[in-house]
Each structure stands twice: as C-alpha cells, then as structure tokens.
C-alpha cells in the first residue's frame, strides 16, 4: 500500500525559505501513471493546490505561487521536495504531499498525513 | 482560475438522513470534478472522480452526479463516521481549484 510522509521544519522565519520533503514508500515515484502533487491548507481554511512534478522533473505550478516555489524529485531516494521562498505569515499551513493521477481527471490519492509549517519570527 | 462554490457551507443532519451537497463551477467543466472527505486533523480522503465514479473502497452510500457547472455529492443514509468536511475539486484545467468545503455536523 502506498504511503507518503512529509517532513521538514515546523517553524520558518519570515523572508526565509520553507523546505519540505515527501518520502514515498510502497511504490515507485517513477511510475509513468502519476504526478506527485503538493497541496496546502491554512489553519481552519480550504485546500490550495501548489504544484505538481513528474519523475522526469517536469513541473507545473499554481500561477499564484509560481514565482516563489520550486519542486524537485530524487528518484534514487523515492522522494519529492518542495521549496517556498520568501515566506510570510500567509504561508502558514498544513502542507500535504499527494499522488496525482495523470489523465483527464487528475485526482489526488492518497495523501500524506501533512505537516504544519508556521511562519513566525 | 475556475472558482468552485459549495453549498451549504455547513449542514446539520442525523444518522440515517439523506444528504446532498452542491458544488458550482464558475464556467463549464464537463464532468471534471472530484470529491474528497476530510475529518478533523486528518488528510483529505478521495471519494469520487469524474463527477460520478466511486473510488475503489469508498462506501456505496456515496454518489455523485452532474456535468457542466453544477454537481452534487449525495450520501444516501448517513453513518456516524460520515460526519466530516467535504470538498469538490475541478480537474478541468490548471490551476486545480477546490471548493471552500461543506462541514457536515451531527444534529
């Protein structure tokens, strides 16, 4: 059974860079059928898609965040990573890693448990 | 971006009730809608894809319908474990966007 686990610092200072890693187990991130997505959820609010990456390194991002985010992949470690630059308090959220089906319907399943990142000095 | 608007934002219902949640897209998106269930402190769980197709393992009391701009998620007979927040998501075009959520509470 596929399992995704996010990791990274829970506290980041304003203007610094948020760095997260998602480790995938029970399956390969090199599958041709899936992208790997990042989604975030501010406390008490809804879900926002950040971006997605294929095992080749191909990426696409939400235009609202595109200038500040970079996703990467390490197939040797079965990991995907996310960096968010120049963070502010509005970047405080639970960050989820998820597998994204390729094709017309692009659903997200399964999801990691999520990791809360707080931006504060 | 395509806006997804859910109604109601919250809903109180009893075990055994039939419940319907609506999701409206700001433009036509054919049947490119997926639904998720999220319980407090947990990650969302995938329920339905392509508006009406039940994800493997999801209970059959969940069903979805709609196309174009209007979509519904129906729970035929509420069970205690169904009380949660539900989100629709459009996959018609990037950026993928979610509804604001419908919180289903016990009456």
């Amino acid at each position: 059974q596929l399992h995704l686990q996010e990791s990274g610092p829970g506290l980041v200072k304003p203007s610094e860079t948020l760095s997260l890693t998602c480790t995938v187990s029970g399956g390969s991130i090199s599958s041709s059928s899936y992208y790997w997505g990042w989604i975030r959820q501010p406390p008490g609010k809804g879900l926002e898609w950040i971006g997605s990456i294929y095992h080749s390194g191909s990426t696409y991002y939400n235009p609202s965040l595109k200038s500040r985010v970079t996703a990467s992949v390490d197939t040797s470690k079965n990991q995907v990573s996310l960096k968010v630059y120049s963070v502010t308090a509005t970047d405080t959220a639970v960050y989820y890693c998820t597998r994204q089906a390729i094709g017309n319907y692009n659903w997200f399943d399964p999801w990691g448990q999520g990791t809360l990142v707080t931006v504060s000095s | 971006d395509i806006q997804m608007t859910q109604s109601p934002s919250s809903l109180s219902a009893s075990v055994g009730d039939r419940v319907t949640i609506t999701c409206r897209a700001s433009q036509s998106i054919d049947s490119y809608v997926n639904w998720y269930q999220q319980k407090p402190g947990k990650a969302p769980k995938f329920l339905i894809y392509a508006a009406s197709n039940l994800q493997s393992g999801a209970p059959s009391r969940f069903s979805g319908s709609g196309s174009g701009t209007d979509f519904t998620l129906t729970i035929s007979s509420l069970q205690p474990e169904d009380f949660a927040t539900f989100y629709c998501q459009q996959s018609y075009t990037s950026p993928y966007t979610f509804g604001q959520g419908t919180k289903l509470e016990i009456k």
Side-chain angles (χ1 to χ4, degrees):
Chain A
Q1 185 175 355
L2 195 73
H3 182 73
L4 294 79
Q5 179 71 58
E6 304 88 349
S7 59
L11 181 64
V12 181
K13 289 183 169 56
S15 80
E16 295 189 344
T17 298
L18 180 166
S19 296
L20 298 172
T21 297
C22 172
T23 301
V24 178
S25 57
S28 173
I29 66 167
S30 297
S31 168
S32 61
S33 301
Y34 301 103
Y35 268 74
W36 302 89
W38 288 95
I39 292 168
R40 70 181 184 178
Q41 184 173 36
K45 296 188 178 180
L47 301 162
E48 178 181 34
W49 172 72
I50 300 170
S52 300
I53 185 166
Y54 194 57
H55 64 81
S56 63
S58 173
T59 55
Y60 61 121
Y61 302 113
N62 191 324
S64 68
L65 292 163
K66 186 176 182 178
S67 64
R68 296 197 298 122
V69 300
T70 299
S72 58
V73 60
D74 186 335
T75 55
S76 67
K77 295 181 179 179
N78 228 34
Q79 292 178 335
V80 293
S81 296
L82 178 74
K83 290 186 185 295
V84 182
Y85 304 99
S86 303
V87 298
T88 70
T90 59
D91 294 308
T92 294
V94 175
Y95 285 75
Y96 294 103
C97 168
T98 179
R99 184 179 67 174
Q100 176 188 333
I102 287 179
N104 291 337
Y105 294 103
N106 289 291
W107 62 79
F108 299 105
D109 179 62
W111 299 52
Q113 66 182 27
T115 187
L116 174 62
V117 178
T118 301
V119 178
S120 175
S121 55
Chain B
D1 298 1
I2 295 176
Q3 269 205 319
M4 304 296 284
T5 303
Q6 290 182 230
S7 60
S9 294
S10 63
L11 174 62
S12 294
S14 301
V15 173
D17 284 353
R18 179 183 179 90
V19 167
T20 297
I21 296 168
T22 296
C23 180
R24 176 165 289 175
S26 59
Q27 67 179 73
S28 179
I29 56 172
D30 196 358
S31 60
Y32 293 99
V33 165
N34 307 314
W35 288 93
Y36 303 84
Q37 175 190 47
Q38 185 178 34
K39 296 182 179 179
K42 300 293 187 182
K45 186 175 178 182
F46 175 46
L47 285 176
I48 287 173
Y49 66 97
S52 61
N53 295 272
L54 199 63
Q55 135 83 340
S56 175
S60 58
R61 61 183 178 273
F62 290 94
S63 64
S65 66
S67 67
T69 60
D70 295 320
F71 303 88
T72 60
L73 172 70
T74 298
I75 310 172
S76 60
S77 178
L78 274 173
Q79 299 301 300
E81 61 268 28
D82 298 338
F83 292 93
T85 299
F86 293 85
Y87 293 93
C88 59
Q89 172 232 335
Q90 67 81 15
S91 57
Y92 183 76
T93 189
S94 172
Y96 309 120
T97 48
F98 294 83
Q100 82 279 16
T102 295
K103 186 175 184 179
L104 179 55
E105 299 174 304
I106 300 175
K107 185 183 285 184

